[in-house]
Amino acid sequence: MWTRASLWLRGVAPALGRQLGSWRLSVVLTVTVAFFYAHLAIFSRNSPSEMVRNIAALVVFWAIYGALLVNTAACLWLRFPTLKRELAAHPHLVATPPSWEVPLVVNDAVATEALRRRGFSVEGQGPGQLLGVRHRFASLGTWFFHGSFFVVAAGFLTTLAFREEYRLLIAVGEEFTGAPEQIVSRQGSGLVTLGLPDLRFTHERITPRFHEGQLLFTHLDSVVRLEGQAPVEAEINKPVWLSPATSLRLTGFGYAPRYELRVSGGPVVGSSFLKLRVFPPGVEDVFRPEGYPHRVSLQVLPDLVEEGGVPSTRSLNLVRPGFLVRVMRARVDLGQRLLRGGDDPFLFEGLELRFPEVQYWGEFVVLRDPGAPILLAGFLMALVGLGLKLRGRRQEVEWSAARGTLRGWGGEPPRDLSQGGA
Amino acid sequence: MSTAAILFRVLLGVSAGLGLLGLVAWRSHERPWAQRVFNAAGAVPTVLGLAAFAARWAEAGHLPLFGVYEAALSLSLVVVATAWGFELRSRSTLGVAPVGAVLSALSLWHGLRYDATPSALTISERSLVMDGHAVVAWAAFGVLAVNAGLSAIILWRPEGERVSAKLVPTLELGFFLHTAMLVSGSLYRFLLFGRAWSFDPIETLGFITWTAYGTLLHMHFFAHWRGRRLAAWSLGLFLLLVVSYRGIVTWPSWSTYHVFDIGLREHLR
């Protein structure tokens, strides 16, 4: 039985290989991919990108990506013998009929120089005869380009399996130590968990700048000092690289007001910085002073102005903060007030609530993505491959003084040579 | 009206005029000199385009690459300059400069429908990677526009087949640049959002165009498509390219990070 199966496989395998590696199949698959993506583009008019991403992850897409990779692999495998011939340093086609022939009546030295100038690697075959080869690495370009599909696919799959991100809110002056309470959230594939990399840093500064008071960031730079290293700048589009696969990214910012609670006319009974989501102005967040049953709702107006008794903010810059405060105890509303600056207290039930200072906090993401460098390598490989192809396919020439012609295999005759110049 | 705005409109008028006259000259077999004159005249919109680009740069304080209006100007400049560059290489015998001028005029006309108020660049627009991505994108568009121009010549000009030798090299160069555009865009997306691909419609449309041009190259290499057939498909795919570059503004602004106009809908007249 095994002998029969082996014979059958030997008979069928080449035909199957040819089918799998055929250019017709690759055309069918790429056109199918284009149509699938056209559907995605149409979907994206009405659906958020997360939903489009989910549609793109349907099994039918995976089947087509897989089929494309199989097709490319089979195609490259079938053409491997051709690659070896194309890369040969010496001309080997001279025994076959040339694809073109142009007159070239010159002497050896002029012919050698003319061919070298046009990129041919020239070798003499005795007086009055030269052989030349150029663009011999063009086929390697095809291999690089199509081979890059596998590297890119490996990159995406590695990302899918290993990508993890840890979201942190770190106030200015605060040190990140990796303590669990400093990690706001973790996102990952769930397939493999490598954990948060060993990282400690201090957030030294963050500077937001806006366009004409609009909610339009023109800059958001922060300075962090990694443990034992000099301070480095992180921008929203310029992460700090911790390793080729791990980066510390700045992704946002907000206000961290410090509340101070004291017994009226007495000592401070509670004080702490609060990393609240109160940016942009108008957004309200809530906190509970430690050890007290009260619930405080807060809005921060960073550049307070009052027009006709209505508080608003002149700009988004933290210049003269005002605080819109409402205090509740269970369902009892204890009132709402605008605090004009850090010394202005809100009085309730024998307590004074103030916000003497406001810091910025930065939102950072520690991103571990081992697929990213692989993906980058795949992209570079694709570009190098296409670059090698751009100069044209392998070309061989033979110049003969006796015939007074230049014969060529592959491509067109060099344009100026074909017009009789050298 | 600012100098930049005046130059923008002058460029639109000159490109449209020279382009249409050049296309009329295509049919004038008795006056080959007229064709060469219009081909060489591609220098005029190129110089004007450079002046308009420089004026807008000075006005906006940054490279005019972002937003529909500025992108129209950049695209227009790159198309006329690339077409003229190809004319220079062929000693003004190609006939692609008038096509470049018409495409430039259409691009400028589209840009004029959008707000021209200069605005500061947002964080995501401030990066050399982003600038490189935009430049490569425009270069890809310029080369593929020349490819479309050559296709039009092959399809509609008598003796148009004489330029068919240039069709495949422009297709290959355009495909290379389009790939570089996708790669640089993906790289920048990773720097900005920590993900190299996110199915933003601009990525999806760019990828569709990439697969389409890749398939066309396969058909040329393996099915030996050339001449009029290759030209017809190249021209068709150029329309797809135009949709992927300029059509993105018709997508809802929440669906893409690639609409750079602030409050686009309010500014659309």
Side-chain angles (χ1 to χ4, degrees), chain B residues 10 23 30 35 46 67 78 97 100 108 120 130-131 133 164 178-179 181 190 197 204 223 229 240:
Chain B
V10 171
L23 292 185
E30 305 82 36
Q35 295 175 14
T46 305
V78 120
L108 293 167
M130 181 73 204
D131 292 342
H133 167 64
S164 53
H178 192 72
T179 309
M181 183 271 286
F190 183 77
W197 194 268
T204 312
R229 185 182 230 183
L240 187 61

Coordinates of all heavy atoms in Angstrom, one line a residue, chain B residues 10 23 30 35 46 67 78 97 100 108 120 130-131 133 164 178-179 181 190 197 204 223 229 240:
Chain B
V10 N -3.7 81.0 -10.7 CA -3.0 81.1 -11.9 C -2.5 79.8 -12.5 O -2.6 79.4 -13.6 CB -1.8 82.1 -11.8 CG1 -0.9 82.1 -13.0 CG2 -2.3 83.5 -11.4
L23 N -3.5 68.7 -25.7 CA -4.3 67.5 -26.1 C -4.9 67.7 -27.5 O -5.0 66.8 -28.3 CB -5.4 67.3 -25.1 CG -5.0 66.8 -23.7 CD1 -6.2 66.4 -22.9 CD2 -4.1 65.6 -23.8
E30 N -0.2 67.4 -39.0 CA 0.6 68.2 -40.0 C 1.6 69.1 -39.2 O 2.5 69.7 -39.9 CB -0.4 69.1 -40.8 CG -1.5 68.4 -41.6 CD -2.7 68.1 -40.7 OE1 -3.0 68.9 -39.8 OE2 -3.2 67.0 -40.8
Q35 N 3.1 70.0 -31.4 CA 3.1 69.0 -30.3 C 4.3 69.2 -29.4 O 4.2 69.2 -28.2 CB 3.1 67.6 -30.9 CG 1.8 67.3 -31.6 CD 1.9 65.9 -32.3 OE1 2.8 65.1 -32.0 NE2 1.0 65.7 -33.3
T46 N 5.3 73.7 -14.3 CA 6.2 73.2 -13.3 C 6.8 74.4 -12.5 O 6.8 74.4 -11.2 CB 7.3 72.4 -13.9 OG1 6.7 71.4 -14.7 CG2 8.2 71.8 -12.9
G67 N -4.1 68.4 4.4 CA -5.4 69.0 4.1 C -5.7 68.9 2.6 O -4.7 68.9 1.8
V78 N 3.7 67.9 -8.3 CA 4.4 66.6 -8.6 C 4.0 66.0 -9.9 O 4.9 65.5 -10.7 CB 4.2 65.7 -7.4 CG1 3.6 64.4 -7.8 CG2 5.5 65.4 -6.7
A97 N 3.2 65.6 -21.2 CA 3.1 66.8 -20.4 C 1.7 67.4 -20.5 O 1.2 67.9 -19.4 CB 4.1 67.9 -20.9
G100 N -0.3 65.6 -18.0 CA 0.1 66.0 -16.6 C -0.6 67.4 -16.3 O -1.1 67.5 -15.1
L108 N -6.2 70.7 -8.8 CA -6.3 72.1 -8.2 C -7.8 72.5 -8.0 O -8.2 73.1 -7.0 CB -5.5 73.1 -9.0 CG -4.0 72.9 -9.0 CD1 -3.4 73.7 -10.2 CD2 -3.4 73.3 -7.7
A120 N -2.0 75.5 12.0 CA -0.8 74.9 12.5 C -0.9 73.4 12.4 O -2.0 72.8 12.3 CB -0.7 75.3 14.0
M130 N 6.6 61.3 8.7 CA 5.4 61.7 8.0 C 5.7 62.5 6.7 O 5.0 62.2 5.7 CB 4.6 62.6 9.0 CG 3.3 63.0 8.5 SD 2.1 61.7 8.5 CE 1.0 62.3 7.3
D131 N 6.6 63.4 6.8 CA 7.0 64.2 5.6 C 7.5 63.2 4.5 O 7.1 63.3 3.3 CB 8.1 65.2 5.9 CG 7.6 66.3 6.8 OD1 6.3 66.4 6.9 OD2 8.4 67.0 7.5
H133 N 6.8 60.1 4.2 CA 5.7 59.3 3.7 C 4.9 60.1 2.6 O 4.5 59.6 1.6 CB 4.8 58.9 4.9 CG 3.5 58.4 4.5 ND1 3.3 57.2 3.9 CD2 2.2 58.9 4.7 CE1 2.0 57.0 3.7 NE2 1.3 58.0 4.2
S164 N 5.1 52.7 -26.0 CA 4.7 51.6 -25.1 C 5.9 51.0 -24.4 O 5.8 50.4 -23.3 CB 4.0 50.5 -25.9 OG 4.8 50.2 -27.0
H178 N 4.7 53.2 -4.7 CA 3.5 52.9 -3.9 C 3.7 52.0 -2.8 O 3.2 52.2 -1.7 CB 2.4 52.4 -4.9 CG 1.0 52.3 -4.3 ND1 0.3 53.5 -4.2 CD2 0.3 51.3 -3.9 CE1 -0.9 53.2 -3.7 NE2 -0.9 51.9 -3.5
T179 N 4.6 51.0 -3.0 CA 4.9 50.1 -1.9 C 5.6 50.9 -0.8 O 5.4 50.7 0.4 CB 5.9 49.0 -2.4 OG1 5.3 48.4 -3.6 CG2 6.1 47.9 -1.4
M181 N 5.3 53.9 -0.1 CA 4.3 54.8 0.5 C 3.6 53.9 1.6 O 3.4 54.4 2.7 CB 3.4 55.3 -0.5 CG 2.3 56.2 0.0 SD 0.8 55.4 0.5 CE 0.1 55.0 -1.0
F190 N 2.7 52.8 13.2 CA 3.2 52.1 14.4 C 3.8 53.1 15.4 O 3.6 53.0 16.6 CB 4.3 51.1 14.0 CG 4.8 50.3 15.1 CD1 4.1 49.3 15.7 CD2 6.0 50.6 15.7 CE1 4.5 48.5 16.8 CE2 6.5 49.9 16.8 CZ 5.7 48.9 17.3
W197 N -1.0 48.3 11.4 CA -2.1 48.3 10.5 C -3.4 48.3 11.3 O -3.5 47.6 12.3 CB -2.0 47.0 9.7 CG -2.9 47.0 8.5 CD1 -4.2 46.5 8.4 CD2 -2.6 47.5 7.2 NE1 -4.7 46.7 7.1 CE2 -3.7 47.3 6.3 CE3 -1.5 48.1 6.6 CZ2 -3.8 47.6 5.0 CZ3 -1.5 48.4 5.3 CH2 -2.6 48.2 4.5
T204 N -6.8 50.6 3.6 CA -7.6 49.6 2.8 C -7.5 49.9 1.3 O -7.2 49.1 0.5 CB -9.0 49.4 3.3 OG1 -8.9 49.3 4.7 CG2 -9.7 48.3 2.7
A223 N 1.2 36.8 -18.6 CA 0.2 36.6 -19.7 C 0.6 37.5 -20.9 O -0.2 37.5 -21.9 CB -1.2 37.0 -19.2
R229 N -3.8 46.8 -24.6 CA -4.5 46.1 -23.5 C -3.9 46.6 -22.1 O -4.7 46.9 -21.2 CB -4.4 44.6 -23.7 CG -5.1 43.8 -22.7 CD -4.9 42.4 -22.9 NE -6.1 41.6 -22.9 CZ -6.2 40.3 -23.0 NH1 -5.1 39.6 -23.2 NH2 -7.4 39.7 -23.0
L240 N -8.6 54.2 -10.0 CA -8.7 53.6 -8.6 C -7.7 54.3 -7.7 O -7.9 54.6 -6.5 CB -8.3 52.1 -8.7 CG -8.4 51.2 -7.5 CD1 -9.9 51.2 -7.0 CD2 -8.0 49.8 -7.8

